Amino acid sequence: MAGIAEAVRRRPVVIAIDGPAAAGKGTLAKRLSQHYDLPYLDTGLLYRGIGKLAFDRGVDLDDPIATGDIARSLAPDHLDEAPLRGHEAGERASRVAVHPSVRQALEDFQRAFAAGPRGAVLDGRDIGTVICPGADVKIFVTASAEVRARRRTDELAAKGRPPEFERILAEVKERDARDAGRATAPLKPALDAHLLDTSEMDIETAFWTACGLIDRSLNRPE
Ligand code: DC
């Protein structure tokens, strides 16, 4: 472990985590950023911020020009996490994220974040394919739609909401179809991404499996 920590310290390291909604990539990416002591960017939050701003201002989420304008005006105080969590915010994010105007407005910021002196962990849909194609390690985290819907149903049930597995499964599938089916920067694994299917794993196993992939990749001779 120490050897890897040193490797991370000696040169910047960029770790790209992509995958579909509710695959657990946010939890995983955050934990990896702590483990490897790297700054972390949740890129989904940027799209969620734009979706919320557009909705609050009565802008049509399907209008590429108006949402592009909003994307260019996005500021850190629009990214207060609490109101951006949840299904509605995710749906709005997914809708504005189809527009090339919106995606383009976020590119420079994401690339500059990744180019910081220590490197970074970024999670999203197109990090390994578009934003950081040269990332040191790319992991595509996935799980079956049924498993993701089950996890989300259980999370909501733990908060006292009635279990609605079928509805949540339909929503997960709809979001997958939109994110993977769009023309610009669709959700897909980079050719050199490691696939991490967490369908049969708990978060602890997923975390240590990801660490193993990262440590092996960073140890590889250049
Ligand atoms: O990761 P998330 O669920 O917070 O993302 C919300 C939506 O934002 C997702 O459904 C599609 C979009 N998104 C994207 O298109 N590209 C990214 N890099 C991150 C998110």
Side-chain angles (χ1 to χ4, degrees):
M1 230 55 270
I4 298 307
E6 264 165 43
V8 169
R9 264 184 244 117
R10 265 202 313 274
R11 64 180 174 88
V13 168
V14 175
I15 300 174
I17 309 287
D18 288 302
K25 59 183 190 314
T27 312
L28 179 66
K30 210 175 288 175
R31 235 179 118 181
L32 291 172
S33 77
Q34 289 160 356
H35 182 76
Y36 291 102
D37 192 24
L38 293 169
Y40 166 56
L41 181 64
D42 169 0
T43 66
L45 204 60
L46 306 175
Y47 292 92
R48 285 170 182 263
I50 295 164
K52 179 172 190 305
L53 265 186
F55 180 78
D56 290 350
R57 292 179 186 172
V59 162
D60 178 2
L61 298 178
D62 301 321
D63 177 343
I65 295 175
T67 52
D69 286 344
I70 289 185
R72 283 186 291 279
S73 73
L74 192 72
D77 58 341
H78 299 135
L79 299 177
D80 178 16
E81 247 193 276
L84 299 181
R85 291 292 154 212
H87 169 69
E88 288 292 314
E91 271 303 297
R92 287 176 196 136
S94 172
R95 278 174 65 189
V96 297
V98 304
H99 305 309
S101 53
V102 167
R103 307 199 68 85
Q104 209 174 356
L106 299 178
E107 274 189 10
D108 287 351
F109 172 73
Q110 294 174 86
R111 293 209 173 108
F113 189 93
R118 286 189 293 147
V121 177
L122 293 88
D123 87 56
R125 301 292 186 288
D126 62 340
I127 307 304
T129 50
V130 175
I131 301 299
C132 303
D136 298 276
V137 192
K138 301 177 185 177
I139 301 181
F140 193 85
V141 186
T142 187
S144 71
E146 285 72 17
V147 166
R148 287 181 284 133
R150 170 57 56 205
R151 287 179 188 157
R152 184 153 280 179
T153 307
D154 292 347
E155 266 168 35
L156 292 174
K159 291 181 188 157
R161 302 259 297 272
E164 290 181 85
F165 176 77
E166 291 302 332
R167 181 182 60 80
I168 292 172
L169 178 61
E171 288 170 359
V172 161
K173 286 183 174 171
E174 190 188 335
R175 182 106 76 90
D176 283 358
R178 193 188 298 111
D179 290 349
R182 69 183 175 221
T184 307
L187 166 71
K188 65 171 180 198
L191 287 176
D192 53 350
H194 301 278
L195 293 186
L196 179 59
D197 186 335
T198 68
S199 300
E200 310 271 319
M201 291 180 190
D202 59 16
I203 175 65
E204 206 53 32
T205 311
F207 171 68
W208 288 111
T209 307
C211 288
L213 294 170
I214 293 168
D215 292 351
R216 276 197 296 283
S217 301
L218 296 182
N219 259 335
R220 236 184 0 228
E222 306 267 312

